[in-house]
Amino acid sequence: MSDKLEIRGINKKFGKQVILDDINIEFETGHIYGMFGRNGVGKSTLCNIMADKLYPDSGEVCINGEKISKNSNELKKICHIKETDIFSTDIKVKNILKAYSYFFENYDKELEERLVERFNVNTKKTIGKLSRGQKSIVMIIVALSSNAEITIFDEPTIGLDVSNRKIFYEELMQKYSETMNTYIITTHLVEEMEKLIEKVVIINNKSIKINEDIEDLKEKSHLITGKSEDLKKLSFYDEAKEYKKFASSETIFYYGKISGDDEEYIKSKDLKLEKPTLEDIFLKTTEEVR
């Protein structure tokens, strides 16, 4: 079983621009997290801080209460990969894999070899000769083979075609079922992640907007359709967001608990109540209220 990753009061600026503002979150052991946010909200910055590759202006990152900063024993529990990791362009893939195998004491060489074959990677090539997708694959192989207690994938599917993304998802689920380690994935492919993840973290406006089990998140998310004049009488209408509108009919998105009175009103007016997709939830919870 993996260890709990704790983010406590993290703040980060670049110049005068605030990127992260008092971030507090615990990544519980043994779950797959999807971490979503629009471009530029600080997902990669937070990932780098969680892996001690970037120092926050204030706050701390801990594993089971132990600070990770400059703590080699704790840092070995974290594998953080991204396609843009910097390597000399003339280093061979096989040497990159070898370097990572030295760092992670439980590195699975047999799995690495199987993944190299399944993804059809030429390990004799230099990293500079690989396509963007092939570079992503190399880092996926590293991450899955590392057997780290906590693995952070920062946009792991950049450049991957449908076939290779399918292989990644299959291998990730297989590895997770075997180890029950913790996996944190940032990606823009929200729809594809819906069937893989158990917990959802959404970053918006420099802070954690949502941190929920995916089933709880869906339970609290609603699409309500009907005549605009009827919808406006719902107690939460001013907090809801427009989903679509056609003539006098409207669909609104609402995130939160619907009261008994509102439920009765919805039934009495024969309003249509549906559940949105995870992608809809992400798009709407990161929009401004009307």
Side-chain angles (χ1 to χ4, degrees):
M1 183 66 72
S2 57
D3 295 278
K4 180 168 67 174
L5 183 65
E6 303 165 276
I7 315 301
R8 302 172 178 171
I10 291 293
N11 293 279
K12 184 64 182 176
K13 289 182 181 179
F14 290 118
K16 294 182 179 180
Q17 185 180 6
V18 177
I19 304 298
L20 300 172
D21 184 14
D22 194 27
I23 299 291
N24 292 277
I25 185 172
E26 290 186 0
F27 292 94
E28 299 173 1
T29 61
H31 295 287
I32 300 179
Y33 284 82
M35 188 158 69
F36 308 116
R38 293 177 182 266
N39 289 336
V41 299
K43 300 186 303 297
S44 292
T45 298
L46 183 57
C47 287
N48 282 320
I49 290 172
M50 290 192 295
D52 205 39
K53 294 179 179 178
L54 180 68
Y55 294 139
D57 297 325
S58 59
E60 59 189 19
V61 180
C62 300
I63 296 179
N64 290 340
E66 293 289 330
K67 294 180 184 180
I68 69 165
S69 184
K70 300 178 183 178
N71 185 336
S72 60
N73 289 332
E74 298 303 321
L75 285 173
K76 285 183 179 180
K77 297 177 180 178
I78 301 173
C79 179
H80 168 233
I81 63 103
K82 54 185 177 179
E83 175 265 335
T84 54
D85 277 342
I86 299 173
F87 299 100
S88 172
T89 56
D90 60 356
I91 187 172
K92 291 184 178 180
V93 171
K94 65 179 181 180
N95 291 330
I96 292 173
L97 298 175
K98 184 182 292 185
Y100 276 101
S101 72
Y102 292 150
F103 185 80
F104 296 102
E105 59 186 23
N106 295 317
Y107 191 89
D108 189 338
K109 190 66 178 177
E110 289 185 7
L111 176 60
E112 175 207 291
E113 292 171 354
R114 184 172 66 76
L115 292 177
V116 163
E117 183 174 352
R118 189 171 187 198
F119 279 113
N120 193 27
V121 175
N122 184 348
T123 61
K124 295 180 181 179
K125 277 190 173 183
T126 61
I127 196 73
K129 294 289 181 65
L130 299 186
S131 69
R132 194 173 192 185
Q134 290 171 326
K135 290 175 183 176
S136 293
I137 287 171
V138 171
M139 301 317 297
I140 284 170
I141 292 172
V142 165
L144 293 175
S145 301
S146 72
N147 272 326
E149 287 90 337
I150 299 163
T151 302
I152 303 169
F153 293 95
D154 190 357
E155 294 290 351
T157 57
I158 287 178
L160 266 61
D161 59 25
V162 173
S163 177
N164 281 324
R165 292 203 305 272
K166 183 174 183 291
I167 292 173
F168 168 53
Y169 300 148
E170 289 174 352
E171 293 292 345
L172 172 64
M173 293 307 296
Q174 176 63 32
K175 193 67 178 176
Y176 173 65
S177 67
E178 292 172 357
T179 65
M180 292 303 292
N181 285 335
T182 301
Y183 296 90
I184 303 166
I185 308 169
T186 76
T187 180
H188 288 91
L189 300 176
V190 180
E191 186 176 358
E192 290 188 7
M193 287 288 111
E194 186 165 356
K195 294 180 180 179
L196 297 175
I197 61 177
E198 300 169 284
K199 293 181 177 287
V200 177
V201 175
I202 295 178
I203 301 177
N204 194 45
N205 292 330
K206 310 174 188 68
S207 61
I208 302 295
K209 174 79 173 180
I210 286 172
N211 177 22
E212 295 266 13
D213 289 348
I214 190 168
E215 295 306 321
D216 292 340
L217 177 63
K218 289 181 178 180
E219 183 63 28
K220 294 178 183 177
S221 302
H222 316 275
L223 292 176
I224 307 101
T225 303
K227 293 181 180 179
S228 294
E229 61 189 44
D230 292 334
L231 293 175
K232 288 177 181 178
K233 294 178 182 178
L234 291 165
S235 66
F236 54 79
Y237 181 79
D238 289 340
E239 301 172 50
K241 297 177 181 179
E242 184 180 291
Y243 183 76
K244 63 181 177 180
K245 196 170 187 178
F246 181 74
S248 63
S249 179
E250 183 180 2
T251 300
I252 59 175
F253 169 85
Y254 175 62
Y255 174 69
K257 183 175 175 55
I258 297 179
S259 69
D261 288 344
D262 281 322
E263 285 182 346
E264 288 301 317
Y265 178 77
I266 288 169
K267 290 177 184 177
S268 71
K269 291 296 183 179
D270 199 26
L271 301 178
K272 187 176 181 181
L273 185 61
E274 299 175 282
K275 291 298 180 185
T277 65
L278 180 59
E279 187 170 51
D280 287 333
I281 296 169
F282 163 66
L283 291 172
K284 291 302 171 183
T285 54
T286 55
E287 281 183 3
E288 296 298 325
V289 176
R290 289 193 304 267

